[in-house]
Amino acid sequence: MRRSPDHSLSDLDELQRSQAELAAQIEILRRMPEILKKQEQEKSVTLPPSDILTHTIREKKFDEVVSKGEIKNNRKALARNAWLTVLLLITMAVLLWWAYRELARLGLI
């Protein structure tokens, strides 16, 4: 059995393609130490985040927590003040009614 020339050409093309892929992978692996060295240099040159930044982030979180607590405390105070206001208005109405009844009993009104 003889192979057709087209079949042998496709095998040759496939072999050349796989050889080119292998050469490309070998080149990447050959340059890997340079790439890693460059990445390490960039990492060592880059400054870490400033303490000011971390402090600002912590302060912001603290302010949010405190703000929530302040809001809760303000709501409680407003509710307490509302009840005191209602009780004061009732007391004023009772005193005015009592004063009117007394003045009417004495015949001054």
Side-chain angles (χ1 to χ4, degrees):
M1 285 182 131
R2 267 178 123 186
R3 288 187 165 179
S4 67
D6 291 338
H7 189 60
S8 62
L9 286 178
S10 66
D11 287 343
L12 182 61
D13 288 341
E14 187 177 324
L15 183 63
Q16 287 176 345
R17 209 174 310 121
S18 65
Q19 210 172 19
E21 288 174 5
L22 282 174
Q25 287 179 355
I26 289 171
E27 181 63 24
I28 290 172
L29 292 174
R30 188 184 62 76
R31 292 188 321 175
M32 188 60 71
E34 296 171 13
I35 294 171
L36 292 175
K37 185 177 179 182
K38 190 175 184 180
Q39 287 176 349
E40 187 64 33
Q41 285 176 347
E42 288 177 3
K43 189 177 180 181
S44 67
V45 172
T46 304
L47 292 174
S50 172
D51 288 340
I52 296 172
L53 179 65
T54 56
H55 178 71
T56 305
I57 291 170
R58 265 189 277 139
E59 192 174 89
K60 191 173 185 179
K61 287 180 183 178
F62 176 76
D63 287 343
E64 288 174 3
V65 170
V66 169
S67 295
K68 290 177 184 177
E70 285 179 4
I71 290 170
K72 189 184 287 186
N73 289 340
N74 285 338
R75 285 183 179 168
K76 286 180 184 178
L78 284 174
R80 190 178 325 119
N81 290 339
W83 279 109
L84 288 175
T85 303
V86 169
L87 289 174
L88 179 63
L89 290 173
I90 291 171
T91 304
M92 286 175 49
V94 169
L95 285 175
L96 286 174
W97 177 76
W98 175 77
Y100 174 77
R101 296 279 295 177
E102 283 298 313
L103 289 174
R105 187 179 64 84
L106 292 174
L108 296 172
I109 297 180

